[in-house]
Amino acid sequence: MADTLQGRIIEGEFRSPHNGFQQAPGSIHNDEVASKLGFKGGTVPGSVHMDQFAPMLVQTYGADWLAHGNMSLHFTQATVDREEVKAVMEAASPRSRLTMFNREGDQVCIGTASGETRDAESEMARRMATQALASPGALRILAGYKIGDTNTGIPMRIEREALEKSLSRITERLPLYDEGVLPPSHLVRLAHISRPTVLAKVNQSVGLFGALEIRIADGPLKAGHDYVGRTTMLKLTESPKTENAWYDVDIADAGTGEDVATVTFMIRFMKASSPLWARPA
């Protein structure tokens, strides 16, 4: 497969992803909230952009990618509702390179993918390894957390009706989705059910996806099925404008207890959104 993959470029069409969370109060997806923080408007969730790469990955690795594949994206520029973006894949072995651009040619995200569950050199793994830990006492929004914090027994389920409703506005619709298979964005959505538990201490701070990685071990995952999650805090970092939480959400089949997928999140919490950064240290 390495010979057939190497250097092959696959380009998608420009699509107009929908921001389905504009009405969420206190969210970066809300126009008013995002504008106050310096964004053009409410942002499209980065997970939505994952769906534009899915047909390329299935074309390259087969439908088995939805059962045993991975995708890892680092987001470099937020987009707003209906902003046109194009996905590009450079197929290669052992991993393919993913990029996305808007009409102006600005890069929206960069990443990697392969037909294997794990990739030790994925985009997110490499970036996380280079990030320095936040200095002791530097964090305010994430001050209540430490590396190794865990949560277990989190019920997770996406109803079939919810999936079918969202498929009407998905950027790239694969036939398998009509059979209840979760698109990449919905695998993230399933894992994100853990957010009120794992990030219960951040109060009103506004966060957005800085990076996402999905690793499917025994899929495809489906709507209308019960799963259970556990979370592990991997790293806590900061930048001049953000505090960043990196954590795994391992998803197990509720019936068998066997792990079927993992989603790794890097969530950037905007310092400007938090009253904890409105006062001197």
Side-chain angles (χ1 to χ4, degrees):
M1 178 180 283
D3 291 339
T4 59
L5 287 183
Q6 211 66 34
R8 183 161 58 93
I9 304 297
I10 308 173
E11 292 194 20
E13 300 294 330
F14 275 102
R15 303 297 189 197
S16 303
H18 174 57
N19 174 17
F21 303 92
Q22 285 179 325
Q23 304 308 314
S27 166
I28 195 65
H29 310 304
N30 179 280
D31 285 339
E32 182 179 358
V33 173
S35 297
K36 288 180 180 178
L37 292 171
F39 293 87
K40 293 182 292 184
T43 64
V44 173
S47 54
V48 170
H49 294 315
M50 288 182 147
D51 292 336
Q52 278 181 250
F53 293 105
M56 304 175 183
L57 297 174
V58 170
Q59 176 184 339
T60 301
Y61 302 109
D64 194 54
W65 182 83
L66 290 161
H68 301 289
N70 74 74
M71 177 173 20
S72 184
L73 296 181
H74 171 77
F75 301 102
T76 53
Q77 178 169 300
T79 64
V80 295
D81 188 52
R82 309 296 183 183
E83 181 177 349
E84 291 186 303
V85 291
K86 174 192 277 194
V88 180
M89 175 177 172
E90 180 181 356
S93 182
R95 68 191 58 83
S96 297
R97 297 296 303 176
L98 310 177
T99 51
M100 180 173 282
F101 303 92
N102 64 15
R103 280 284 187 186
E104 289 70 41
D106 300 321
Q107 181 181 279
V108 172
C109 65
I110 188 169
T112 59
S114 79
E116 304 295 329
T117 299
R118 289 189 171 275
D119 179 3
E121 296 296 320
S122 72
E123 186 72 30
M124 191 172 198
R126 291 187 298 103
R127 287 182 180 271
M128 184 164 57
T130 64
Q131 295 294 305
L133 294 173
S135 301
L139 299 178
R140 301 182 189 180
I141 300 169
L142 297 171
Y145 294 92
K146 64 181 184 300
I147 296 171
D149 284 347
T150 60
N151 298 277
T152 60
I154 304 169
M156 295 178 172
R157 179 185 173 98
I158 291 180
E159 297 297 343
R160 184 68 180 264
E161 293 78 6
L163 172 61
E164 291 173 353
K165 182 179 179 179
S166 64
L167 288 180
S168 64
R169 58 177 182 267
I170 195 169
T171 52
E172 298 284 354
R173 185 167 181 162
L174 296 177
L176 284 170
Y177 302 158
D178 293 308
E179 300 174 17
V181 171
L182 295 179
S185 62
H186 285 60
L187 178 52
V188 174
R189 183 175 175 181
L190 181 71
H192 208 40
I193 291 172
S194 67
R195 178 167 177 160
T197 300
V198 68
L199 296 175
K201 303 174 187 177
V202 301
N203 298 316
Q204 301 302 312
S205 302
V206 176
L208 69 161
F209 295 147
L212 290 169
E213 179 169 304
I214 59 176
R215 302 188 296 277
I216 309 170
D218 188 10
L221 278 70
K222 292 190 172 184
H225 191 86
D226 289 319
Y227 299 95
V228 62
R230 67 181 185 277
T231 72
T232 306
M233 189 64 67
L234 303 176
K235 203 162 194 176
L236 298 165
T237 64
E238 69 163 338
S239 73
K241 293 183 178 181
T242 66
E243 294 187 13
N244 311 309
W246 309 68
Y247 61 93
D248 274 348
V249 179
D250 293 303
I251 303 169
D253 185 286
T256 67
E258 297 295 322
D259 286 351
V260 293
T262 299
V263 179
T264 303
F265 292 85
M266 189 272 266
I267 298 186
R268 298 170 173 146
F269 289 97
M270 306 295 294
K271 292 178 178 179
S273 73
S274 173
L276 297 173
W277 282 98
R279 57 173 176 75

